[in-house]
Amino acid sequence: MLDALGDGRPRSRETTASRAKGGILVVGGFVVALFVIEIVNMLTLHSLNRTFGLRPRSLDGLLDIFTFPLLHASLNHLLSNTLPLIIFGFLVFLSGLRVFLTALALSWLGSGLTVWLIGDGGVTVGASGLVFGLFAFLLVRGFFNHSWRQILLAVVLFMVYGSILLGVLPFVAGYISWQAHLGGAVGGVAAALLMRPRRGV
């Protein structure tokens, strides 16, 4: 039986609608912020990348873990991340703000730490690690949650976007950070594992 609100509307529908609105605002706001940062970066000839890009195995580079996904090598670089970031971010947000923040944070941290530990020595920037993390979260959470609906969504997403997973392989392309992709994906899986339903003993 549906739990109805005072005006007769089902609570589940209201919750889904409110989460959808929240997802649009939060994910959209984050993407807008990325474009604002990129505009500033372009006006300063991408000097922000040299200052706040992630430098592997340097002590002060640890702080760059918190800034490098906000920067991009070019406008085209940002545009390539925008659509999947919006789609995956919105779909994760439909499960709630706490789930979204957990998936985003672990993807961010996993991506950054992996680059810092095994990066090739250059400066790494870009939100693609977050894209891979959110995507990985969506792919595996249904199996942890035992949700056929989420598994079906994962299958559809894999059919459409599954080819991007090749980006975790070192030999696919020399100009991308496979380390960021791999670390982000691991972080996304860790988030799905962490957020799985707790079952009573």
Side-chain angles (χ1 to χ4, degrees):
M1 183 175 180
L2 289 175
D3 183 11
L5 299 173
D7 58 3
R9 290 179 298 163
R11 186 179 300 276
S12 59
R13 290 183 182 177
E14 194 277 336
T15 300
T16 301
S18 63
R19 286 180 175 177
K21 292 177 183 177
I24 292 172
L25 290 174
V26 172
V27 178
F30 181 66
V31 170
V32 168
L34 293 181
F35 274 92
V36 171
I37 292 171
E38 177 57 22
I39 290 172
V40 174
N41 208 7
M42 290 170 61
L43 292 175
T44 59
L45 302 179
H46 286 92
S47 63
L48 295 180
N49 291 357
R50 295 188 293 272
T51 304
F52 299 105
L54 181 50
R55 292 153 292 171
R57 294 174 297 281
S58 65
L59 189 59
D60 56 347
L62 284 171
L63 296 177
D64 301 329
I65 291 174
F66 301 102
T67 56
F68 85 101
L70 304 174
L71 305 167
H72 289 82
S74 65
L75 183 60
N76 286 337
H77 183 202
L78 173 56
L79 288 171
S80 69
N81 285 328
T82 297
L83 185 58
L85 188 60
I86 291 174
I87 293 173
F88 302 154
F90 176 78
L91 290 174
V92 173
F93 198 97
L94 290 179
S95 294
L97 178 61
R98 186 169 68 94
V99 172
F100 172 77
L101 292 178
T102 300
L104 185 70
L106 290 183
S107 300
W108 197 312
L109 185 61
S111 179
L113 285 176
T114 303
V115 172
W116 191 85
L117 288 170
I118 62 173
D120 60 8
V123 175
T124 299
V125 294
S128 57
L130 306 184
V131 170
F132 273 73
L134 296 173
F135 185 45
F137 176 87
L138 291 168
L139 288 181
V140 304
R141 66 170 178 170
F143 298 96
F144 292 135
N145 297 343
H146 304 287
S147 169
W148 285 106
R149 184 175 61 178
Q150 292 177 353
I151 291 174
L152 179 60
L153 175 62
V155 171
V156 173
L157 289 174
F158 182 79
M159 291 174 63
V160 177
Y161 290 102
S163 61
I164 72 171
L165 293 175
L166 294 174
V168 304
L169 302 177
F171 51 81
V172 171
Y175 58 88
I176 65 172
S177 176
W178 62 270
Q179 299 93 335
H181 298 169
L182 177 62
V186 170
V189 173
L193 182 62
L194 180 65
M195 299 304 294
R196 73 189 188 281
R198 296 293 189 269
R199 302 185 181 279
V201 178

